[in-house]
Amino acid sequence: MKQTAFTDKLVIVFAYTILSLLGLSSLLPLMQVITLSMSPSEVINSYSFHFIPLKFDFKGYATVLANENLWRAYGNTLLRTALGVSLTIVLTFCAAYPLTKKDLPHRTFWTAFVVLTMFFSGGLIPLYLLIKSLGLMDSIWALVLPPAINTFMVMVVRNFIAELPESLEESAKIDGANDIVILFRIVIPLSLPIIATVGLYSGVYHWNAWFDSMIYIQDGKKHVLQFVLRKIILLGNTAEFEMTGQNQNVTDVESIKMATLVVSIIPLLLVYPFLQKYFVKGSLMGAVKG
Amino acid sequence: MKKRRHVKKTAIVSLLLAASILSACGGGAKAPEGGNASGQNQGPIAIDWLAYNSYNQPSVDNPIGKMVQERFNATFNVWYIDPKSWDDNLNVKLGSGVMPDIMKIPNKQNIAKYVKQGILAPIPREMLEKYAPQYTKYIDDKKIWDQVTYDGKIYAIPTTNPDGEYPTAVVWREDWLKNVGITKTPETIQEYEAALTKFRNEDPDKNGKKDTYGMSDFAIPNILGAFGHPGIIDFKGNQNGVSLEFTKKGDKVVFAATQPEMKEALALLQKWYKDGLIDPEFVTSENSSGYWAHSQAFYNGRIGLTGKGAHYHWRNELDPSNPADKGGGSFEQFKKSQPNGTVALGKPAVGPQGKSGTPQWDISSMPVGITTKAAKDPRKMETLLKMVETAATDFDYYVAVRKGTKDVDYKLENDRYVNLITDSNNPEEKRGLNIFHVLVANDFYKKISGKFNYDYADKHFKYSGYSPVFVPPVDSYTKYLASLYKLTLETYYKIITGELPVSAFDDYVQKFKSGGGDAIEKEANEALAANKAGK
């Protein structure tokens, strides 16, 4: 190890200071939420920062953990994400791979046809009508099928595969591989980074989506986590409904809200560090020629 | 290879087609069969129900649900719509031609729109008198039919809100008043000014720091009210969202926000702000988190005057017959934060012209309409009206649909209805409660929500309030409201903080008028005149 010069050290110290500050600035709000989730209401209502809990009151957690809807919604979100991601990966790849083949008849037409859908869509009401008339209302398919293929992703994947050297395929052909073998033994293994990227993007999308659940799903047992969260978070924010009668039991809901947040963030916090390296790598691999 | 792919594609396409055709046939609901409106010897009628507050996923598979279905010979498919995005959600459904049979109309201004879109059906006065005579009379007494009349026809059943009979609270820190040597709760605008100035300058909390202010945003409407009808009653926009107040001048309705008396009021507020009586953080509201009626600034001893909450938020007298009583929700929180603090409920400031008042909620609440889909079958309207009448006249039924089964859902204790199930994971809607009372809230409601509450309110909340002035639903209102509201809010803030001079109010009025204000006023007054002529 060579001695680092003084200026290099300076730069390193400086960089790490900035990075730690940045890290801290994103950590503190989380600490605030965690603290509030286990504090009594007088602490929540007091001014000042709350990074370390001093008084404890776990009423919020007791309510959240007993909420069967929350756990069911958890399950729904997990199922939706798993199903959505696998569908998206398969379908996106199936759409993108043929478009890279030079001998696909009318290739430019098909590409244009696919790209067109990026710019023109029917809008919400026609989509709703479509889902309704397909009989998908109140089922998980209403959440999984419409976003199953993201055109933009199809293009990204197409460009990625198109950049694989053609000589690879030719040499495989000479060695006697047929199309299927080439796909599974050569193209897919080389495309893993981009597949991971697509998977992650759609995973994040499915994990965070709530609007479609609100619109297409009537049955409370089938709602997704984010929608249930949203309802809890917005509890008691407006007086609108008190015009039809007092709502006495929402005056002390802040700790429930925070506890709900914590409970729903934890799995992502646990999973994300392991996924991050793919995320960074995959996104870059698609963009940079290498 | 190529050929095989082609075959596959055709197969998939045809499968998809087949699937769509099948589901399209299966998805259609049967058209209701019209018939004579007696319903005696027919099966139960199926009703799509959306006339309740959908806080939680409802269920009718419970004793209360069964009781209601048997009593009215109906089966209910209760819709669930997330109340927080009611309009977004419902508009998609209505836009695609799906409607409930009976629906709540949270925003009365939408009635005009719904009628035009062919969603609401008129309810003939004869039907009302025939099937809901008592309730019709009750609404006659309250004089709120106007609110649901469009083009001379009644389009919904009005409901009432007993809490709307009381103005919102005026809350002082009693101990602060004592500390600065004021013995009488301030009543005139001069007394207000004196008290607030002392709150700012004489260290009312005795901590040796100059860290207190007089008031923040919740009390502004109270001050505006000393000059005339407050132009804005909700600066945070979380009480009734985006809305602008009207007031009566002669026999015309006009926007309250653009009246000259508001200019006077703003001039005074600007002076107060300059003198430090108003918390500079009022721009982001004294309610910094959580439930809308909470005032963290007041709980934390930053300001000494607040408001906005209703009588049941600030009730500071405890019910002697109930050892567990901690007072109103806001009062309870205040005591938790300031165990030694005390509050005094005051009266709104009286201005130079002798005017005074705090905003008062509307006595008329969210009406319930019947859709054109349901109107095809007279039995549905009949059932709805019977339900309304029963809820308004049969106390035992009302208690059942609001509170549930005795000794299961609630118990009676010294005439108080005490909920036995307070688990938020077993909400009332799941047990069939608060779904079928059709939002009726007459004296029965006062009785079950606690006589002590209302006796207290009658004692302390009998000062003048500014109730919303009624304006018939007009089209232009919904069109221009958002931009006018934003303009008004910005102007008020800027004048109070001194960013704009008071004279800027005149430019604002011009902008407001040309930006749709005049159009709305004109249309509203025409509609009012038409309503009058139609009677």
Side-chain angles (χ1 to χ4, degrees), chain A residues 191-201 271-286:
Chain A
S191 309
L192 279 180
I194 197 75
I195 289 178
T197 308
V198 172
L200 266 166
Y201 272 116
V271 171
Y272 200 76
F274 299 102
L275 289 178
Q276 201 185 0
K277 60 178 187 201
Y278 295 105
F279 205 44
V280 174
K281 198 165 94 186
S283 307
L284 289 180
M285 290 289 279

mmCIF file of all heavy atoms in Angstrom, chain A residues 191-201 271-286:
data_model
loop_
_atom_site.group_PDB
_atom_site.id
_atom_site.type_symbol
_atom_site.label_atom_id
_atom_site.label_comp_id
_atom_site.label_asym_id
_atom_site.label_seq_id
_atom_site.Cartn_x
_atom_site.Cartn_y
_atom_site.Cartn_z
ATOM 1 N N SER A 191 -27.808 -11.619 -20.096
ATOM 2 C CA SER A 191 -28.754 -10.507 -19.868
ATOM 3 C C SER A 191 -29.171 -10.403 -18.412
ATOM 4 O O SER A 191 -30.046 -9.621 -18.078
ATOM 5 C CB SER A 191 -30.007 -10.715 -20.715
ATOM 6 O OG SER A 191 -29.664 -10.964 -22.034
ATOM 7 N N LEU A 192 -28.586 -11.217 -17.540
ATOM 8 C CA LEU A 192 -29.031 -11.201 -16.139
ATOM 9 C C LEU A 192 -29.054 -9.805 -15.513
ATOM 10 O O LEU A 192 -30.007 -9.466 -14.810
ATOM 11 C CB LEU A 192 -28.178 -12.156 -15.302
ATOM 12 C CG LEU A 192 -28.617 -13.617 -15.423
ATOM 13 C CD1 LEU A 192 -27.732 -14.509 -14.578
ATOM 14 C CD2 LEU A 192 -30.074 -13.796 -15.019
ATOM 15 N N PRO A 193 -28.037 -8.970 -15.744
ATOM 16 C CA PRO A 193 -28.085 -7.642 -15.108
ATOM 17 C C PRO A 193 -29.337 -6.858 -15.491
ATOM 18 O O PRO A 193 -29.989 -6.256 -14.631
ATOM 19 C CB PRO A 193 -26.836 -6.940 -15.633
ATOM 20 C CG PRO A 193 -25.947 -7.996 -16.126
ATOM 21 C CD PRO A 193 -26.787 -9.173 -16.488
ATOM 22 N N ILE A 194 -29.682 -6.891 -16.765
ATOM 23 C CA ILE A 194 -30.831 -6.101 -17.199
ATOM 24 C C ILE A 194 -32.115 -6.727 -16.683
ATOM 25 O O ILE A 194 -33.075 -6.034 -16.329
ATOM 26 C CB ILE A 194 -30.857 -5.933 -18.743
ATOM 27 C CG1 ILE A 194 -31.784 -4.778 -19.117
ATOM 28 C CG2 ILE A 194 -31.295 -7.182 -19.455
ATOM 29 C CD1 ILE A 194 -31.199 -3.439 -18.844
ATOM 30 N N ILE A 195 -32.130 -8.052 -16.587
ATOM 31 C CA ILE A 195 -33.313 -8.716 -16.037
ATOM 32 C C ILE A 195 -33.492 -8.311 -14.578
ATOM 33 O O ILE A 195 -34.598 -8.023 -14.113
ATOM 34 C CB ILE A 195 -33.193 -10.242 -16.188
ATOM 35 C CG1 ILE A 195 -33.346 -10.598 -17.671
ATOM 36 C CG2 ILE A 195 -34.245 -10.962 -15.364
ATOM 37 C CD1 ILE A 195 -33.202 -12.062 -17.976
ATOM 38 N N ALA A 196 -32.362 -8.264 -13.848
ATOM 39 C CA ALA A 196 -32.430 -7.839 -12.451
ATOM 40 C C ALA A 196 -32.973 -6.418 -12.350
ATOM 41 O O ALA A 196 -33.792 -6.108 -11.477
ATOM 42 C CB ALA A 196 -31.054 -7.918 -11.812
ATOM 43 N N THR A 197 -32.537 -5.579 -13.267
ATOM 44 C CA THR A 197 -33.001 -4.194 -13.242
ATOM 45 C C THR A 197 -34.509 -4.112 -13.455
ATOM 46 O O THR A 197 -35.228 -3.446 -12.704
ATOM 47 C CB THR A 197 -32.306 -3.387 -14.347
ATOM 48 O OG1 THR A 197 -30.910 -3.586 -14.233
ATOM 49 C CG2 THR A 197 -32.623 -1.928 -14.227
ATOM 50 N N VAL A 198 -34.957 -4.823 -14.484
ATOM 51 C CA VAL A 198 -36.397 -4.820 -14.763
ATOM 52 C C VAL A 198 -37.165 -5.328 -13.558
ATOM 53 O O VAL A 198 -38.164 -4.742 -13.136
ATOM 54 C CB VAL A 198 -36.707 -5.691 -16.004
ATOM 55 C CG1 VAL A 198 -38.202 -5.850 -16.187
ATOM 56 C CG2 VAL A 198 -36.097 -5.075 -17.230
ATOM 57 N N GLY A 199 -36.642 -6.406 -12.983
ATOM 58 C CA GLY A 199 -37.300 -6.976 -11.820
ATOM 59 C C GLY A 199 -37.387 -5.973 -10.683
ATOM 60 O O GLY A 199 -38.427 -5.821 -10.050
ATOM 61 N N LEU A 200 -36.284 -5.290 -10.439
ATOM 62 C CA LEU A 200 -36.272 -4.330 -9.336
ATOM 63 C C LEU A 200 -37.227 -3.168 -9.576
ATOM 64 O O LEU A 200 -37.989 -2.788 -8.690
ATOM 65 C CB LEU A 200 -34.864 -3.788 -9.157
ATOM 66 C CG LEU A 200 -34.083 -4.569 -8.117
ATOM 67 C CD1 LEU A 200 -32.622 -4.260 -8.200
ATOM 68 C CD2 LEU A 200 -34.618 -4.222 -6.741
ATOM 69 N N TYR A 201 -37.150 -2.629 -10.790
ATOM 70 C CA TYR A 201 -38.033 -1.502 -11.079
ATOM 71 C C TYR A 201 -39.490 -1.902 -10.889
ATOM 72 O O TYR A 201 -40.269 -1.192 -10.259
ATOM 73 C CB TYR A 201 -37.818 -0.997 -12.514
ATOM 74 C CG TYR A 201 -36.726 0.027 -12.611
ATOM 75 C CD1 TYR A 201 -35.563 -0.229 -13.331
ATOM 76 C CD2 TYR A 201 -36.851 1.261 -11.988
ATOM 77 C CE1 TYR A 201 -34.548 0.703 -13.411
ATOM 78 C CE2 TYR A 201 -35.850 2.199 -12.064
ATOM 79 C CZ TYR A 201 -34.697 1.930 -12.775
ATOM 80 O OH TYR A 201 -33.712 2.859 -12.852
ATOM 81 N N VAL A 271 -34.368 -5.928 3.351
ATOM 82 C CA VAL A 271 -34.100 -6.534 2.046
ATOM 83 C C VAL A 271 -33.217 -5.647 1.173
ATOM 84 O O VAL A 271 -32.349 -6.128 0.459
ATOM 85 C CB VAL A 271 -35.446 -6.814 1.323
ATOM 86 C CG1 VAL A 271 -35.210 -7.239 -0.109
ATOM 87 C CG2 VAL A 271 -36.203 -7.898 2.063
ATOM 88 N N TYR A 272 -33.416 -4.362 1.306
ATOM 89 C CA TYR A 272 -32.803 -3.452 0.341
ATOM 90 C C TYR A 272 -31.279 -3.524 0.256
ATOM 91 O O TYR A 272 -30.727 -3.565 -0.847
ATOM 92 C CB TYR A 272 -33.259 -2.014 0.607
ATOM 93 C CG TYR A 272 -33.062 -1.141 -0.585
ATOM 94 C CD1 TYR A 272 -33.932 -1.232 -1.665
ATOM 95 C CD2 TYR A 272 -31.998 -0.262 -0.675
ATOM 96 C CE1 TYR A 272 -33.765 -0.461 -2.782
ATOM 97 C CE2 TYR A 272 -31.813 0.522 -1.796
ATOM 98 C CZ TYR A 272 -32.698 0.421 -2.844
ATOM 99 O OH TYR A 272 -32.522 1.181 -3.948
ATOM 100 N N PRO A 273 -30.569 -3.586 1.398
ATOM 101 C CA PRO A 273 -29.103 -3.632 1.288
ATOM 102 C C PRO A 273 -28.609 -4.776 0.414
ATOM 103 O O PRO A 273 -27.599 -4.648 -0.280
ATOM 104 C CB PRO A 273 -28.651 -3.832 2.734
ATOM 105 C CG PRO A 273 -29.755 -3.321 3.563
ATOM 106 C CD PRO A 273 -31.008 -3.543 2.790
ATOM 107 N N PHE A 274 -29.342 -5.902 0.448
ATOM 108 C CA PHE A 274 -28.900 -7.051 -0.343
ATOM 109 C C PHE A 274 -29.213 -6.867 -1.827
ATOM 110 O O PHE A 274 -28.608 -7.488 -2.674
ATOM 111 C CB PHE A 274 -29.562 -8.324 0.183
ATOM 112 C CG PHE A 274 -29.194 -8.606 1.607
ATOM 113 C CD1 PHE A 274 -30.076 -8.323 2.636
ATOM 114 C CD2 PHE A 274 -27.934 -9.109 1.926
ATOM 115 C CE1 PHE A 274 -29.726 -8.552 3.950
ATOM 116 C CE2 PHE A 274 -27.579 -9.345 3.244
ATOM 117 C CZ PHE A 274 -28.471 -9.069 4.263
ATOM 118 N N LEU A 275 -30.201 -6.033 -2.100
ATOM 119 C CA LEU A 275 -30.594 -5.857 -3.493
ATOM 120 C C LEU A 275 -29.827 -4.723 -4.147
ATOM 121 O O LEU A 275 -29.705 -4.666 -5.367
ATOM 122 C CB LEU A 275 -32.094 -5.530 -3.571
ATOM 123 C CG LEU A 275 -33.034 -6.681 -3.251
ATOM 124 C CD1 LEU A 275 -34.473 -6.197 -3.332
ATOM 125 C CD2 LEU A 275 -32.839 -7.826 -4.238
ATOM 126 N N GLN A 276 -29.311 -3.829 -3.303
ATOM 127 C CA GLN A 276 -28.804 -2.587 -3.848
ATOM 128 C C GLN A 276 -27.710 -2.786 -4.874
ATOM 129 O O GLN A 276 -27.650 -2.098 -5.887
ATOM 130 C CB GLN A 276 -28.320 -1.701 -2.718
ATOM 131 C CG GLN A 276 -28.267 -0.253 -3.121
ATOM 132 C CD GLN A 276 -27.680 0.588 -2.034
ATOM 133 O OE1 GLN A 276 -27.315 0.084 -0.990
ATOM 134 N NE2 GLN A 276 -27.570 1.863 -2.280
ATOM 135 N N LYS A 277 -26.818 -3.769 -4.605
ATOM 136 C CA LYS A 277 -25.686 -3.916 -5.530
ATOM 137 C C LYS A 277 -26.172 -4.274 -6.934
ATOM 138 O O LYS A 277 -25.640 -3.789 -7.917
ATOM 139 C CB LYS A 277 -24.696 -4.939 -4.996
ATOM 140 C CG LYS A 277 -25.254 -6.323 -4.798
ATOM 141 C CD LYS A 277 -24.161 -7.271 -4.301
ATOM 142 C CE LYS A 277 -24.689 -8.686 -4.283
ATOM 143 N NZ LYS A 277 -23.943 -9.564 -3.398
ATOM 144 N N TYR A 278 -27.221 -5.113 -6.997
ATOM 145 C CA TYR A 278 -27.762 -5.445 -8.327
ATOM 146 C C TYR A 278 -28.344 -4.210 -8.972
ATOM 147 O O TYR A 278 -28.241 -3.980 -10.158
ATOM 148 C CB TYR A 278 -28.875 -6.496 -8.203
ATOM 149 C CG TYR A 278 -28.396 -7.806 -7.695
ATOM 150 C CD1 TYR A 278 -28.665 -8.206 -6.397
ATOM 151 C CD2 TYR A 278 -27.665 -8.660 -8.518
ATOM 152 C CE1 TYR A 278 -28.236 -9.412 -5.913
ATOM 153 C CE2 TYR A 278 -27.216 -9.879 -8.033
ATOM 154 C CZ TYR A 278 -27.502 -10.254 -6.737
ATOM 155 O OH TYR A 278 -27.058 -11.446 -6.275
ATOM 156 N N PHE A 279 -29.003 -3.445 -8.117
ATOM 157 C CA PHE A 279 -29.717 -2.273 -8.598
ATOM 158 C C PHE A 279 -28.753 -1.326 -9.300
ATOM 159 O O PHE A 279 -28.936 -0.944 -10.445
ATOM 160 C CB PHE A 279 -30.343 -1.585 -7.382
ATOM 161 C CG PHE A 279 -31.530 -0.763 -7.732
ATOM 162 C CD1 PHE A 279 -32.487 -1.226 -8.599
ATOM 163 C CD2 PHE A 279 -31.712 0.486 -7.166
ATOM 164 C CE1 PHE A 279 -33.598 -0.476 -8.908
ATOM 165 C CE2 PHE A 279 -32.819 1.244 -7.463
ATOM 166 C CZ PHE A 279 -33.753 0.756 -8.338
ATOM 167 N N VAL A 280 -27.682 -0.994 -8.588
ATOM 168 C CA VAL A 280 -26.691 -0.078 -9.140
ATOM 169 C C VAL A 280 -26.039 -0.680 -10.372
ATOM 170 O O VAL A 280 -25.979 -0.074 -11.438
ATOM 171 C CB VAL A 280 -25.629 0.250 -8.075
ATOM 172 C CG1 VAL A 280 -24.514 1.078 -8.673
ATOM 173 C CG2 VAL A 280 -26.275 0.967 -6.906
ATOM 174 N N LYS A 281 -25.609 -1.925 -10.225
ATOM 175 C CA LYS A 281 -24.901 -2.566 -11.325
ATOM 176 C C LYS A 281 -25.802 -2.670 -12.547
ATOM 177 O O LYS A 281 -25.436 -2.252 -13.638
ATOM 178 C CB LYS A 281 -24.460 -3.963 -10.885
ATOM 179 C CG LYS A 281 -23.358 -4.556 -11.751
ATOM 180 C CD LYS A 281 -22.713 -5.746 -11.069
ATOM 181 C CE LYS A 281 -23.379 -7.032 -11.514
ATOM 182 N NZ LYS A 281 -22.875 -8.205 -10.772
ATOM 183 N N GLY A 282 -26.982 -3.197 -12.317
ATOM 184 C CA GLY A 282 -27.883 -3.448 -13.435
ATOM 185 C C GLY A 282 -28.227 -2.191 -14.212
ATOM 186 O O GLY A 282 -28.173 -2.167 -15.435
ATOM 187 N N SER A 283 -28.552 -1.142 -13.489
ATOM 188 C CA SER A 283 -28.940 0.087 -14.180
ATOM 189 C C SER A 283 -27.820 0.593 -15.049
ATOM 190 O O SER A 283 -28.019 1.030 -16.175
ATOM 191 C CB SER A 283 -29.298 1.170 -13.162
ATOM 192 O OG SER A 283 -30.234 0.677 -12.272
ATOM 193 N N LEU A 284 -26.594 0.495 -14.515
ATOM 194 C CA LEU A 284 -25.469 1.024 -15.267
ATOM 195 C C LEU A 284 -25.142 0.138 -16.454
ATOM 196 O O LEU A 284 -24.843 0.618 -17.531
ATOM 197 C CB LEU A 284 -24.244 1.159 -14.358
ATOM 198 C CG LEU A 284 -24.378 2.283 -13.336
ATOM 199 C CD1 LEU A 284 -23.138 2.340 -12.480
ATOM 200 C CD2 LEU A 284 -24.584 3.616 -14.027
ATOM 201 N N MET A 285 -25.228 -1.177 -16.245
ATOM 202 C CA MET A 285 -24.873 -2.098 -17.316
ATOM 203 C C MET A 285 -25.724 -1.837 -18.549
ATOM 204 O O MET A 285 -25.295 -2.017 -19.662
ATOM 205 C CB MET A 285 -25.091 -3.543 -16.876
ATOM 206 C CG MET A 285 -24.109 -4.018 -15.822
ATOM 207 S SD MET A 285 -22.461 -4.230 -16.452
ATOM 208 C CE MET A 285 -22.633 -5.833 -17.225
ATOM 209 N N GLY A 286 -26.953 -1.441 -18.325
ATOM 210 C CA GLY A 286 -27.822 -1.203 -19.468
ATOM 211 C C GLY A 286 -27.414 0.049 -20.235
ATOM 212 O O GLY A 286 -27.649 0.155 -21.426
#
